[in-house]
Amino acid sequence: MSSVYPVSRPRRLRRTPALRSLFQETEVQLSSLVLPIFVEEEVSDYVPVSAMPGVVRIPEARLAFEIERYAKAGIQFVMTFGISHHLDEAGSDTWHENGLVARMARICKETVPEMIVMSDTCFCEYTTHGHCGVVHDNGVDNDATLVNLGRQAVVVARAGADFIAPSAAMDGQVQAIRAALDGAGFTDTAIMAYSTKFASAFYGPFREAGGTALKGNRKSYQMNPMNRREAIRESLLDEQEGADALMVKPAGAFLDTIRDIREATHLPLAAYQVSGEYAMIKFAAAAGAIDERQIVRETLGAIKRAGADIILSYFAMDIAEQGF
Ligand code: PBG
């Protein structure tokens, strides 16, 4: 008995919309989407990000209003990025009790206590040189940066953040942050590690959105995008260090990595559809070359299908408001 054509006819299950939905294997839900937001201090107006049509920097004074608006639309998770006007060599504003990172967490949690706040934990938006840590003559000093990451994590946990999300790409950052949090009594504050973070050109538009001063590149600390085995290893190291959830970033060009890590760990896995992925879709749609909503559905679906449980996407609010 043959199980190929003409006996097998996969089209039988595609005849009607109802059948197609019955046999659909992957679903992207708003409840698994995290909205990244940009908050700028000391400005009174929204600042459009020209490289990311539809994305704005929110003036700090409007953050409470925006968080309420997101919550009403059904957004439950945000990742906060600050645009600081208080830069220094080390990014010390990030570990001041009343610095921008802490204020963002406090405002979000005071406005909508149920909103889960993930705090991007890095220094690049708070340093004069734009690197993700302490810079010495021979580059970014890993271990000095770990101390500062621990300080920032404790301050932002005290301000109410639910998740510390270290994106500095320092070795040992998860362990250092876990130890600092536990030492200060924040045993329930979770860590979502940017565990496999590639040195990617897909972050291009973020440089404008986040206003970083970086002149060079981050290749001495972020990963080479050509490395498959190392990508798995990086995430497994963060698991051993105590991460509660892992992440692959960027997402769309690294679906193989998402799948590899999904199969190598039982931890929850996030993937970040980054600024360049967003911009490519927005500009192509604006040029009439593609259908934005279908492309968003397809790209997020692919990320989910590859094995991500959670997706960070600048499209999250559009999806909340318009559905899929
Ligand atoms: C901070 C950070 C970056 C992004 C998230 N966290 C920039 C970078 O690493 O260069 C990029 C996000 C995006 O492109 O959407 N280190």
Side-chain angles (χ1 to χ4, degrees):
M1 198 185 75
S2 165
S3 60
V4 298
Y5 177 85
V7 174
S8 275
R9 291 178 184 268
R11 288 184 56 186
R12 281 181 201 121
L13 307 187
R14 298 178 200 149
R15 269 191 310 111
T16 71
L19 281 172
R20 291 195 287 276
S21 92
L22 181 63
F23 291 102
Q24 179 170 316
E25 299 175 28
T26 308
E27 195 80 68
V28 182
Q29 283 159 333
L30 187 57
S31 59
S32 52
L33 297 182
V34 179
L35 176 69
I37 59 171
F38 299 101
V39 180
E40 181 161 8
E41 62 182 0
E42 297 175 4
V43 292
S44 41
D45 293 322
Y46 289 84
V47 183
V49 179
S50 61
M52 299 175 73
V55 171
V56 292
R57 294 183 185 171
I58 303 162
E60 185 182 353
R62 299 291 287 171
L63 178 56
F65 170 84
E66 291 293 330
I67 286 292
E68 241 164 41
R69 194 168 72 85
Y70 302 149
K72 280 201 190 100
I75 296 283
Q76 300 180 82
F77 318 100
V78 292
M79 175 76 83
T80 55
F81 293 94
I83 291 94
S84 173
H85 292 206
H86 294 89
L87 312 182
D88 64 21
E89 281 289 300
S92 67
D93 189 66
T94 60
W95 65 81
H96 287 156
E97 294 288 344
N98 205 28
L100 180 56
V101 187
R103 296 200 307 274
M104 289 189 294
R106 217 174 284 131
I107 292 167
C108 292
K109 294 303 286 189
E110 279 172 5
T111 310
V112 179
E114 328 64 88
M115 181 70 72
I116 295 297
V117 175
M118 304 178 172
S119 187
D120 184 82
T121 303
C122 194
F123 302 98
C124 56
E125 288 145 280
Y126 300 84
T127 53
T128 42
H129 43 71
H131 274 294
C132 300
V134 178
V135 174
H136 289 151
D137 297 341
N138 50 356
V140 176
D141 183 329
N142 192 86
D143 296 6
T145 303
L146 292 185
V147 176
N148 295 343
L149 281 166
R151 291 173 168 166
Q152 180 181 164
V154 169
V155 164
V156 76
R158 189 171 295 128
D162 301 281
F163 278 82
I164 305 301
S167 66
M170 295 298 120
D171 292 336
Q173 61 183 7
V174 171
Q175 185 176 66
I177 288 170
R178 187 70 271 159
L181 289 172
D182 290 352
F186 295 106
T187 52
D188 285 339
T189 305
I191 300 176
M192 173 176 287
Y194 287 76
S195 55
T196 295
K197 179 167 178 179
F198 295 101
S200 170
F202 280 101
Y203 309 149
F206 178 91
R207 300 280 152 89
E208 180 200 341
T212 73
L214 185 71
K215 295 272 184 330
N217 61 63
R218 308 194 197 286
K219 290 181 185 175
S220 78
Y221 41 105
Q222 298 180 349
M223 264 199 61
N224 183 341
M226 301 301 151
N227 289 359
R228 178 180 177 187
R229 293 189 308 267
E230 188 189 9
I232 303 170
R233 178 163 182 254
E234 276 282 9
S235 273
L236 294 182
L237 285 170
D238 281 10
E239 173 167 24
Q240 287 165 30
E241 289 183 22
D244 298 285
L246 303 173
M247 193 198 300
V248 174
K249 173 177 172 223
F254 299 91
L255 297 177
D256 56 333
T257 301
I258 294 172
R259 170 54 50 187
D260 283 339
I261 295 173
R262 173 68 294 146
E263 286 172 6
T265 176
H266 291 130
L267 284 187
L269 180 60
Y272 198 144
Q273 183 184 52
V274 300
S275 56
E277 299 175 81
Y278 174 86
M280 285 163 60
I281 294 171
K282 279 287 183 185
F283 285 115
I290 57 169
D291 180 304
E292 179 175 323
R293 290 189 66 185
Q294 290 191 60
I295 293 280
V296 169
R297 187 180 152 81
E298 220 170 293
T299 53
L300 296 182
I303 295 164
K304 200 86 206 252
R305 202 181 61 233
D309 307 294
I310 300 161
I311 305 175
L312 296 96
S313 171
Y314 301 99
F315 290 109
M317 188 57 182
D318 290 353
I319 291 166
E321 287 180 319
Q322 301 159 26
F324 252 116

